[in-house]
Amino acid sequence: QVQLVESGGGLVQPGGSLRLSCAASGSIFTINVMGWYRQAPGKERELVATISSGGSTNYGDSVKGRFTISRDNAKTTVYLQMNSLKPEDTAVYYCNALRVLTTVGIGDYWGQGTPVTVSS
């Protein structure tokens, strides 16, 4: 089975930075796309950023120019560098892995989520 373990969330002041990490583990051959989504209280889950195995990135409009997504060489860990954080970035951030090829087939997976709070 595939597990996604997130880390790096916490409390930060407006204008500050945080770096989230998400490590995938299990009998994984390849992961097509990894990414981050977030869900604020009372709102729907929304795209933050994704990165393909080839390095192509996609960002939500509200984070462009402030957040940077990257992936390690083994392509099983994804990072989200968040700069110039705003109170409206407060949410639970979820790691996502799409089209994960394992010894038992292909599937999509979510992490448990890590909370980010931007407040003075």
Side-chain angles (χ1 to χ4, degrees), residues 37-59:
Y37 291 75
R38 68 186 182 187
Q39 187 166 19
K43 295 188 176 182
E44 293 186 353
R45 191 171 295 189
E46 65 174 357
L47 167 72
V48 177
T50 61
I51 184 167
S52 72
S53 57
S56 297
T57 58
N58 183 41
Y59 293 92

mmCIF file of all heavy atoms in Angstrom, residues 37-59:
data_model
loop_
_atom_site.group_PDB
_atom_site.id
_atom_site.type_symbol
_atom_site.label_atom_id
_atom_site.label_comp_id
_atom_site.label_asym_id
_atom_site.label_seq_id
_atom_site.Cartn_x
_atom_site.Cartn_y
_atom_site.Cartn_z
ATOM 1 N N TYR A 37 -2.808 20.356 -2.460
ATOM 2 C CA TYR A 37 -4.108 20.999 -2.455
ATOM 3 C C TYR A 37 -4.330 21.526 -1.045
ATOM 4 O O TYR A 37 -3.664 21.091 -0.113
ATOM 5 C CB TYR A 37 -5.201 20.003 -2.835
ATOM 6 C CG TYR A 37 -5.123 19.570 -4.277
ATOM 7 C CD1 TYR A 37 -4.148 18.669 -4.705
ATOM 8 C CD2 TYR A 37 -6.017 20.056 -5.226
ATOM 9 C CE1 TYR A 37 -4.059 18.281 -6.028
ATOM 10 C CE2 TYR A 37 -5.951 19.671 -6.553
ATOM 11 C CZ TYR A 37 -4.959 18.781 -6.955
ATOM 12 O OH TYR A 37 -4.882 18.399 -8.266
ATOM 13 N N ARG A 38 -5.274 22.442 -0.905
ATOM 14 C CA ARG A 38 -5.568 22.954 0.431
ATOM 15 C C ARG A 38 -7.060 23.156 0.607
ATOM 16 O O ARG A 38 -7.786 23.342 -0.372
ATOM 17 C CB ARG A 38 -4.820 24.266 0.682
ATOM 18 C CG ARG A 38 -5.286 25.444 -0.154
ATOM 19 C CD ARG A 38 -4.375 26.647 0.071
ATOM 20 N NE ARG A 38 -4.826 27.814 -0.677
ATOM 21 C CZ ARG A 38 -4.151 28.946 -0.760
ATOM 22 N NH1 ARG A 38 -2.973 29.083 -0.121
ATOM 23 N NH2 ARG A 38 -4.640 29.962 -1.454
ATOM 24 N N GLN A 39 -7.458 23.113 1.864
ATOM 25 C CA GLN A 39 -8.865 23.321 2.188
ATOM 26 C C GLN A 39 -8.953 24.175 3.436
ATOM 27 O O GLN A 39 -8.485 23.771 4.511
ATOM 28 C CB GLN A 39 -9.579 21.987 2.400
ATOM 29 C CG GLN A 39 -11.074 22.135 2.573
ATOM 30 C CD GLN A 39 -11.804 20.814 2.433
ATOM 31 O OE1 GLN A 39 -11.218 19.735 2.544
ATOM 32 N NE2 GLN A 39 -13.094 20.882 2.159
ATOM 33 N N ALA A 40 -9.541 25.341 3.277
ATOM 34 C CA ALA A 40 -9.764 26.248 4.396
ATOM 35 C C ALA A 40 -11.132 25.945 5.003
ATOM 36 O O ALA A 40 -12.005 25.381 4.328
ATOM 37 C CB ALA A 40 -9.704 27.690 3.920
ATOM 38 N N PRO A 41 -11.343 26.307 6.255
ATOM 39 C CA PRO A 41 -12.634 26.048 6.908
ATOM 40 C C PRO A 41 -13.786 26.639 6.099
ATOM 41 O O PRO A 41 -13.749 27.807 5.707
ATOM 42 C CB PRO A 41 -12.489 26.736 8.257
ATOM 43 C CG PRO A 41 -11.034 26.742 8.524
ATOM 44 C CD PRO A 41 -10.377 26.923 7.184
ATOM 45 N N GLY A 42 -14.778 25.805 5.829
ATOM 46 C CA GLY A 42 -15.962 26.263 5.118
ATOM 47 C C GLY A 42 -15.794 26.423 3.625
ATOM 48 O O GLY A 42 -16.716 26.887 2.948
ATOM 49 N N LYS A 43 -14.638 26.030 3.105
ATOM 50 C CA LYS A 43 -14.387 26.170 1.667
ATOM 51 C C LYS A 43 -14.075 24.812 1.040
ATOM 52 O O LYS A 43 -13.745 23.853 1.727
ATOM 53 C CB LYS A 43 -13.225 27.139 1.419
ATOM 54 C CG LYS A 43 -13.519 28.564 1.853
ATOM 55 C CD LYS A 43 -12.419 29.500 1.406
ATOM 56 C CE LYS A 43 -12.740 30.936 1.757
ATOM 57 N NZ LYS A 43 -11.676 31.875 1.286
ATOM 58 N N GLU A 44 -14.167 24.770 -0.292
ATOM 59 C CA GLU A 44 -13.839 23.551 -1.009
ATOM 60 C C GLU A 44 -12.317 23.397 -1.128
ATOM 61 O O GLU A 44 -11.571 24.381 -1.075
ATOM 62 C CB GLU A 44 -14.474 23.587 -2.406
ATOM 63 C CG GLU A 44 -15.986 23.539 -2.392
ATOM 64 C CD GLU A 44 -16.569 23.428 -3.790
ATOM 65 O OE1 GLU A 44 -15.800 23.518 -4.769
ATOM 66 O OE2 GLU A 44 -17.789 23.251 -3.902
ATOM 67 N N ARG A 45 -11.900 22.151 -1.320
ATOM 68 C CA ARG A 45 -10.484 21.889 -1.541
ATOM 69 C C ARG A 45 -10.080 22.502 -2.885
ATOM 70 O O ARG A 45 -10.796 22.381 -3.881
ATOM 71 C CB ARG A 45 -10.216 20.387 -1.530
ATOM 72 C CG ARG A 45 -8.752 20.014 -1.480
ATOM 73 C CD ARG A 45 -8.561 18.526 -1.259
ATOM 74 N NE ARG A 45 -9.052 18.112 0.055
ATOM 75 C CZ ARG A 45 -8.844 16.892 0.563
ATOM 76 N NH1 ARG A 45 -8.138 15.991 -0.117
ATOM 77 N NH2 ARG A 45 -9.325 16.571 1.742
ATOM 78 N N GLU A 46 -8.916 23.152 -2.897
ATOM 79 C CA GLU A 46 -8.470 23.812 -4.116
ATOM 80 C C GLU A 46 -7.027 23.456 -4.438
ATOM 81 O O GLU A 46 -6.236 23.106 -3.565
ATOM 82 C CB GLU A 46 -8.580 25.341 -3.990
ATOM 83 C CG GLU A 46 -7.678 25.960 -2.941
ATOM 84 C CD GLU A 46 -7.706 27.481 -2.955
ATOM 85 O OE1 GLU A 46 -8.379 28.074 -3.810
ATOM 86 O OE2 GLU A 46 -7.023 28.080 -2.101
ATOM 87 N N LEU A 47 -6.713 23.575 -5.720
ATOM 88 C CA LEU A 47 -5.364 23.309 -6.189
ATOM 89 C C LEU A 47 -4.391 24.358 -5.661
ATOM 90 O O LEU A 47 -4.667 25.561 -5.714
ATOM 91 C CB LEU A 47 -5.335 23.333 -7.721
ATOM 92 C CG LEU A 47 -3.945 23.390 -8.367
ATOM 93 C CD1 LEU A 47 -3.237 22.050 -8.209
ATOM 94 C CD2 LEU A 47 -4.056 23.792 -9.833
ATOM 95 N N VAL A 48 -3.249 23.897 -5.172
ATOM 96 C CA VAL A 48 -2.151 24.795 -4.846
ATOM 97 C C VAL A 48 -1.094 24.696 -5.949
ATOM 98 O O VAL A 48 -0.773 25.679 -6.592
ATOM 99 C CB VAL A 48 -1.519 24.462 -3.480
ATOM 100 C CG1 VAL A 48 -0.328 25.379 -3.208
ATOM 101 C CG2 VAL A 48 -2.557 24.592 -2.374
ATOM 102 N N ALA A 49 -0.566 23.483 -6.153
ATOM 103 C CA ALA A 49 0.458 23.293 -7.175
ATOM 104 C C ALA A 49 0.635 21.816 -7.463
ATOM 105 O O ALA A 49 0.408 20.973 -6.586
ATOM 106 C CB ALA A 49 1.790 23.881 -6.723
ATOM 107 N N THR A 50 1.013 21.506 -8.700
ATOM 108 C CA THR A 50 1.342 20.132 -9.073
ATOM 109 C C THR A 50 2.640 20.121 -9.863
ATOM 110 O O THR A 50 3.031 21.132 -10.462
ATOM 111 C CB THR A 50 0.246 19.479 -9.926
ATOM 112 O OG1 THR A 50 0.092 20.228 -11.141
ATOM 113 C CG2 THR A 50 -1.077 19.415 -9.184
ATOM 114 N N ILE A 51 3.281 18.953 -9.874
ATOM 115 C CA ILE A 51 4.503 18.775 -10.651
ATOM 116 C C ILE A 51 4.509 17.368 -11.223
ATOM 117 O O ILE A 51 4.236 16.397 -10.514
ATOM 118 C CB ILE A 51 5.756 19.048 -9.789
ATOM 119 C CG1 ILE A 51 7.030 18.950 -10.649
ATOM 120 C CG2 ILE A 51 5.829 18.137 -8.578
ATOM 121 C CD1 ILE A 51 8.266 19.511 -9.948
ATOM 122 N N SER A 52 4.797 17.277 -12.511
ATOM 123 C CA SER A 52 4.801 15.973 -13.169
ATOM 124 C C SER A 52 6.162 15.297 -13.008
ATOM 125 O O SER A 52 7.138 15.927 -12.572
ATOM 126 C CB SER A 52 4.485 16.140 -14.656
ATOM 127 O OG SER A 52 5.598 16.742 -15.311
ATOM 128 N N SER A 53 6.231 14.049 -13.410
ATOM 129 C CA SER A 53 7.503 13.331 -13.344
ATOM 130 C C SER A 53 8.547 13.953 -14.265
ATOM 131 O O SER A 53 9.741 13.828 -14.035
ATOM 132 C CB SER A 53 7.303 11.861 -13.700
ATOM 133 O OG SER A 53 6.719 11.747 -14.981
ATOM 134 N N GLY A 54 8.069 14.668 -15.282
ATOM 135 C CA GLY A 54 8.981 15.345 -16.196
ATOM 136 C C GLY A 54 9.368 16.740 -15.746
ATOM 137 O O GLY A 54 10.183 17.394 -16.398
ATOM 138 N N GLY A 55 8.773 17.195 -14.641
ATOM 139 C CA GLY A 55 9.131 18.498 -14.099
ATOM 140 C C GLY A 55 8.190 19.635 -14.464
ATOM 141 O O GLY A 55 8.409 20.775 -14.041
ATOM 142 N N SER A 56 7.137 19.353 -15.209
ATOM 143 C CA SER A 56 6.175 20.404 -15.545
ATOM 144 C C SER A 56 5.370 20.778 -14.309
ATOM 145 O O SER A 56 4.919 19.900 -13.572
ATOM 146 C CB SER A 56 5.233 19.923 -16.642
ATOM 147 O OG SER A 56 5.949 19.664 -17.832
ATOM 148 N N THR A 57 5.208 22.074 -14.106
ATOM 149 C CA THR A 57 4.504 22.558 -12.910
ATOM 150 C C THR A 57 3.237 23.311 -13.277
ATOM 151 O O THR A 57 3.108 23.862 -14.381
ATOM 152 C CB THR A 57 5.412 23.472 -12.077
ATOM 153 O OG1 THR A 57 5.837 24.575 -12.888
ATOM 154 C CG2 THR A 57 6.630 22.726 -11.572
ATOM 155 N N ASN A 58 2.328 23.344 -12.321
ATOM 156 C CA ASN A 58 1.066 24.067 -12.479
ATOM 157 C C ASN A 58 0.714 24.646 -11.129
ATOM 158 O O ASN A 58 0.831 23.945 -10.104
ATOM 159 C CB ASN A 58 -0.023 23.099 -12.947
ATOM 160 C CG ASN A 58 -1.338 23.797 -13.195
ATOM 161 O OD1 ASN A 58 -1.370 24.889 -13.750
ATOM 162 N ND2 ASN A 58 -2.432 23.171 -12.791
ATOM 163 N N TYR A 59 0.302 25.911 -11.093
ATOM 164 C CA TYR A 59 0.009 26.593 -9.841
ATOM 165 C C TYR A 59 -1.392 27.186 -9.853
ATOM 166 O O TYR A 59 -1.889 27.645 -10.893
ATOM 167 C CB TYR A 59 1.005 27.736 -9.599
ATOM 168 C CG TYR A 59 2.418 27.285 -9.343
ATOM 169 C CD1 TYR A 59 3.328 27.161 -10.390
ATOM 170 C CD2 TYR A 59 2.844 26.984 -8.051
ATOM 171 C CE1 TYR A 59 4.634 26.738 -10.149
ATOM 172 C CE2 TYR A 59 4.145 26.573 -7.802
ATOM 173 C CZ TYR A 59 5.025 26.447 -8.861
ATOM 174 O OH TYR A 59 6.319 26.038 -8.623
#
